[in-house]
Amino acid sequence: MSGISTAAIFSSDGSDLETLSLETFRFQYRENALYRAYTDALRIQPDKVRSLAQIPFLPIQFFKTHQITCGNFEPQLVFESSGTTQTINSRHLVKEAAIYEQSFLTAFERFYGPVTDFVVVGLLPSYLERQHSSLVYMVQDMVQRSGHPASGFYLYEHDKLYHQLLELEARGQKTLLIGVTFGLLDFAEQYALQLKNTIVMETGGMKGRREEWTRDQVHGFLKERLGCSHIHAEYGMTELLSQAYSYGQGLFNTPPWMKVLVRDENDPFQLYTEKAAGVINVVDLANVYSCSFIATEDIGRLHEHGTFEVLGRLDNSALRGCSLMVS
């Protein structure tokens, strides 16, 4: 069993996304028993699927109840969502760690340049304290690849982080401060900075630690306290092996092998174009050995040039640790 070539996925410029998606759909229909059963239940005939819009998107809830795999394999990685004590966590079995690593590294460097240019600082309290976090795996790998002795993780050592950022700013060192939302807010409440050489990137997630704020409130507070002109953001989840990035204003960009569609909440076959709000469906070709077509529980809106914004969550969706804030 072999899926679509990862070389083809990560070298794509996006112009062949539909062709690659149709090839991936046929492979996953053939090899993924659950996805095949779901497609059959919708009475979709694979040989009549000739466009991306016709491909069925698997509801993300299945990652909580089933193993979503193409064939049988011993996974090199198992990622698990944070969830809460009242919810069932999603599990994503990753056949090859190298696919995930190539996905997040290629995407990050496409948008921001070589990771070796940055000191990478992770502010991920609670995520570091549990196993199987895809976010921690990504940041840990980037910390190691950066090659800078100042790169690393911080749990609750806010004073140490403050002085480290002051030193990096004084040196003019490009820095990535990537953190879970409540961690960044906790830090910014205690310390004020003027960060000119540091990208501040929030990854979502309040986890019941704080009163929920809108995205605009979060970004406004962080800009004021940390002296940034923009707050960047990352859109990712346990069930995906790729991430979208925002340079600010809440508009996310996807790498060429990833695409967001927006559909009617009550009619999964009704696609929306720009401006209409609906359920976010994600094409992630890096999910070659699980499922590349995921219907999320997020509400979003498309904008120009394939960008999108996230507006919140479906009312009936399960609470997720990486909860998104309604703006």
Side-chain angles (χ1 to χ4, degrees), residues 251-254 258-261 274 301-309:
L251 293 181
F252 288 92
N253 303 270
T254 58
M258 183 184 185
K259 182 179 178 65
V260 164
L261 309 176
E274 291 177 17
R301 180 183 290 127
L302 293 177
H303 289 266
E304 294 179 336
H305 310 300
T307 61
F308 69 98
E309 65 175 317

mmCIF file of all heavy atoms in Angstrom, residues 251-254 258-261 274 301-309:
data_model
loop_
_atom_site.group_PDB
_atom_site.id
_atom_site.type_symbol
_atom_site.label_atom_id
_atom_site.label_comp_id
_atom_site.label_asym_id
_atom_site.label_seq_id
_atom_site.Cartn_x
_atom_site.Cartn_y
_atom_site.Cartn_z
ATOM 1 N N LEU A 251 -6.864 36.829 9.586
ATOM 2 C CA LEU A 251 -6.987 36.194 8.275
ATOM 3 C C LEU A 251 -5.871 35.166 8.106
ATOM 4 O O LEU A 251 -4.689 35.502 8.170
ATOM 5 C CB LEU A 251 -6.921 37.235 7.157
ATOM 6 C CG LEU A 251 -8.091 38.211 7.073
ATOM 7 C CD1 LEU A 251 -7.900 39.157 5.897
ATOM 8 C CD2 LEU A 251 -9.419 37.480 6.961
ATOM 9 N N PHE A 252 -6.265 33.918 7.887
ATOM 10 C CA PHE A 252 -5.311 32.813 7.804
ATOM 11 C C PHE A 252 -4.996 32.467 6.351
ATOM 12 O O PHE A 252 -5.860 32.488 5.473
ATOM 13 C CB PHE A 252 -5.873 31.575 8.501
ATOM 14 C CG PHE A 252 -5.914 31.688 9.997
ATOM 15 C CD1 PHE A 252 -7.046 32.164 10.638
ATOM 16 C CD2 PHE A 252 -4.820 31.322 10.769
ATOM 17 C CE1 PHE A 252 -7.093 32.270 12.014
ATOM 18 C CE2 PHE A 252 -4.850 31.429 12.150
ATOM 19 C CZ PHE A 252 -5.990 31.908 12.768
ATOM 20 N N ASN A 253 -3.723 32.110 6.137
ATOM 21 C CA ASN A 253 -3.237 31.638 4.846
ATOM 22 C C ASN A 253 -2.857 30.164 4.971
ATOM 23 O O ASN A 253 -2.267 29.750 5.980
ATOM 24 C CB ASN A 253 -1.995 32.423 4.409
ATOM 25 C CG ASN A 253 -2.233 33.914 4.338
ATOM 26 O OD1 ASN A 253 -2.631 34.433 3.307
ATOM 27 N ND2 ASN A 253 -1.978 34.626 5.440
ATOM 28 N N THR A 254 -3.151 29.374 3.948
ATOM 29 C CA THR A 254 -2.812 27.955 3.956
ATOM 30 C C THR A 254 -1.629 27.684 3.040
ATOM 31 O O THR A 254 -1.435 28.381 2.040
ATOM 32 C CB THR A 254 -4.007 27.107 3.468
ATOM 33 O OG1 THR A 254 -4.376 27.538 2.149
ATOM 34 C CG2 THR A 254 -5.195 27.248 4.400
ATOM 35 N N MET A 258 -2.905 22.508 1.362
ATOM 36 C CA MET A 258 -4.003 22.636 2.318
ATOM 37 C C MET A 258 -4.990 23.663 1.776
ATOM 38 O O MET A 258 -4.595 24.665 1.184
ATOM 39 C CB MET A 258 -3.448 23.087 3.670
ATOM 40 C CG MET A 258 -4.446 23.202 4.801
ATOM 41 S SD MET A 258 -3.611 23.856 6.296
ATOM 42 C CE MET A 258 -4.925 23.743 7.505
ATOM 43 N N LYS A 259 -6.280 23.415 1.943
ATOM 44 C CA LYS A 259 -7.291 24.347 1.445
ATOM 45 C C LYS A 259 -8.501 24.302 2.364
ATOM 46 O O LYS A 259 -8.868 23.230 2.868
ATOM 47 C CB LYS A 259 -7.710 23.984 0.019
ATOM 48 C CG LYS A 259 -8.731 24.948 -0.618
ATOM 49 C CD LYS A 259 -9.064 24.518 -2.021
ATOM 50 C CE LYS A 259 -10.102 25.434 -2.659
ATOM 51 N NZ LYS A 259 -9.599 26.812 -2.862
ATOM 52 N N VAL A 260 -9.103 25.465 2.592
ATOM 53 C CA VAL A 260 -10.311 25.550 3.403
ATOM 54 C C VAL A 260 -11.506 25.835 2.503
ATOM 55 O O VAL A 260 -11.467 26.722 1.650
ATOM 56 C CB VAL A 260 -10.167 26.654 4.478
ATOM 57 C CG1 VAL A 260 -11.527 27.040 5.063
ATOM 58 C CG2 VAL A 260 -9.250 26.173 5.601
ATOM 59 N N LEU A 261 -12.554 25.032 2.701
ATOM 60 C CA LEU A 261 -13.850 25.258 2.074
ATOM 61 C C LEU A 261 -14.839 25.606 3.176
ATOM 62 O O LEU A 261 -14.671 25.202 4.323
ATOM 63 C CB LEU A 261 -14.324 24.015 1.315
ATOM 64 C CG LEU A 261 -13.340 23.385 0.318
ATOM 65 C CD1 LEU A 261 -13.940 22.097 -0.264
ATOM 66 C CD2 LEU A 261 -13.005 24.350 -0.791
ATOM 67 N N GLU A 274 -17.014 33.615 -1.033
ATOM 68 C CA GLU A 274 -16.542 34.610 -0.073
ATOM 69 C C GLU A 274 -17.680 35.242 0.716
ATOM 70 O O GLU A 274 -18.792 35.391 0.228
ATOM 71 C CB GLU A 274 -15.771 35.713 -0.810
ATOM 72 C CG GLU A 274 -14.448 35.248 -1.382
ATOM 73 C CD GLU A 274 -13.758 36.343 -2.160
ATOM 74 O OE1 GLU A 274 -14.129 37.513 -1.983
ATOM 75 O OE2 GLU A 274 -12.857 36.029 -2.951
ATOM 76 N N ARG A 301 -15.316 31.989 7.544
ATOM 77 C CA ARG A 301 -15.711 32.755 6.363
ATOM 78 C C ARG A 301 -14.513 32.880 5.440
ATOM 79 O O ARG A 301 -13.391 33.114 5.894
ATOM 80 C CB ARG A 301 -16.201 34.141 6.787
ATOM 81 C CG ARG A 301 -16.646 35.038 5.640
ATOM 82 C CD ARG A 301 -17.046 36.421 6.139
ATOM 83 N NE ARG A 301 -18.291 36.371 6.893
ATOM 84 C CZ ARG A 301 -18.448 36.857 8.122
ATOM 85 N NH1 ARG A 301 -17.422 37.425 8.749
ATOM 86 N NH2 ARG A 301 -19.615 36.789 8.717
ATOM 87 N N LEU A 302 -14.745 32.702 4.143
ATOM 88 C CA LEU A 302 -13.685 32.836 3.162
ATOM 89 C C LEU A 302 -13.503 34.299 2.776
ATOM 90 O O LEU A 302 -14.452 35.080 2.769
ATOM 91 C CB LEU A 302 -14.013 32.024 1.907
ATOM 92 C CG LEU A 302 -14.039 30.503 2.054
ATOM 93 C CD1 LEU A 302 -14.457 29.867 0.737
ATOM 94 C CD2 LEU A 302 -12.687 29.965 2.502
ATOM 95 N N HIS A 303 -12.250 34.630 2.428
ATOM 96 C CA HIS A 303 -11.926 35.963 1.945
ATOM 97 C C HIS A 303 -11.127 35.832 0.655
ATOM 98 O O HIS A 303 -10.986 34.745 0.096
ATOM 99 C CB HIS A 303 -11.146 36.736 3.014
ATOM 100 C CG HIS A 303 -11.980 37.133 4.189
ATOM 101 N ND1 HIS A 303 -12.606 38.351 4.287
ATOM 102 C CD2 HIS A 303 -12.322 36.451 5.317
ATOM 103 C CE1 HIS A 303 -13.288 38.423 5.419
ATOM 104 N NE2 HIS A 303 -13.128 37.277 6.061
ATOM 105 N N GLU A 304 -10.598 36.927 0.177
ATOM 106 C CA GLU A 304 -9.891 36.931 -1.090
ATOM 107 C C GLU A 304 -8.636 36.063 -1.038
ATOM 108 O O GLU A 304 -8.038 35.868 0.013
ATOM 109 C CB GLU A 304 -9.494 38.366 -1.461
ATOM 110 C CG GLU A 304 -10.674 39.279 -1.748
ATOM 111 C CD GLU A 304 -10.238 40.689 -2.086
ATOM 112 O OE1 GLU A 304 -9.118 41.077 -1.676
ATOM 113 O OE2 GLU A 304 -11.008 41.387 -2.757
ATOM 114 N N HIS A 305 -8.273 35.547 -2.211
ATOM 115 C CA HIS A 305 -7.015 34.808 -2.397
ATOM 116 C C HIS A 305 -6.930 33.561 -1.510
ATOM 117 O O HIS A 305 -5.837 33.142 -1.117
ATOM 118 C CB HIS A 305 -5.806 35.719 -2.138
ATOM 119 C CG HIS A 305 -5.865 37.019 -2.879
ATOM 120 N ND1 HIS A 305 -5.929 37.094 -4.259
ATOM 121 C CD2 HIS A 305 -5.901 38.303 -2.427
ATOM 122 C CE1 HIS A 305 -5.972 38.370 -4.630
ATOM 123 N NE2 HIS A 305 -5.970 39.122 -3.543
ATOM 124 N N GLY A 306 -8.093 32.983 -1.173
ATOM 125 C CA GLY A 306 -8.097 31.741 -0.412
ATOM 126 C C GLY A 306 -7.862 31.898 1.069
ATOM 127 O O GLY A 306 -7.740 30.900 1.787
ATOM 128 N N THR A 307 -7.784 33.142 1.568
ATOM 129 C CA THR A 307 -7.644 33.335 3.012
ATOM 130 C C THR A 307 -8.980 33.079 3.698
ATOM 131 O O THR A 307 -10.038 33.079 3.056
ATOM 132 C CB THR A 307 -7.156 34.752 3.344
ATOM 133 O OG1 THR A 307 -8.112 35.706 2.869
ATOM 134 C CG2 THR A 307 -5.804 35.019 2.703
ATOM 135 N N PHE A 308 -8.932 32.861 4.996
ATOM 136 C CA PHE A 308 -10.162 32.601 5.741
ATOM 137 C C PHE A 308 -10.029 33.126 7.158
ATOM 138 O O PHE A 308 -8.925 33.342 7.652
ATOM 139 C CB PHE A 308 -10.501 31.105 5.750
ATOM 140 C CG PHE A 308 -9.561 30.244 6.553
ATOM 141 C CD1 PHE A 308 -9.873 29.855 7.857
ATOM 142 C CD2 PHE A 308 -8.356 29.802 6.013
ATOM 143 C CE1 PHE A 308 -9.008 29.065 8.601
ATOM 144 C CE2 PHE A 308 -7.482 29.006 6.746
ATOM 145 C CZ PHE A 308 -7.815 28.644 8.049
ATOM 146 N N GLU A 309 -11.157 33.338 7.792
ATOM 147 C CA GLU A 309 -11.174 33.699 9.210
ATOM 148 C C GLU A 309 -12.019 32.687 9.965
ATOM 149 O O GLU A 309 -12.905 32.043 9.396
ATOM 150 C CB GLU A 309 -11.718 35.110 9.430
ATOM 151 C CG GLU A 309 -13.174 35.308 9.060
ATOM 152 C CD GLU A 309 -13.686 36.694 9.408
ATOM 153 O OE1 GLU A 309 -13.362 37.175 10.529
ATOM 154 O OE2 GLU A 309 -14.420 37.281 8.593
#
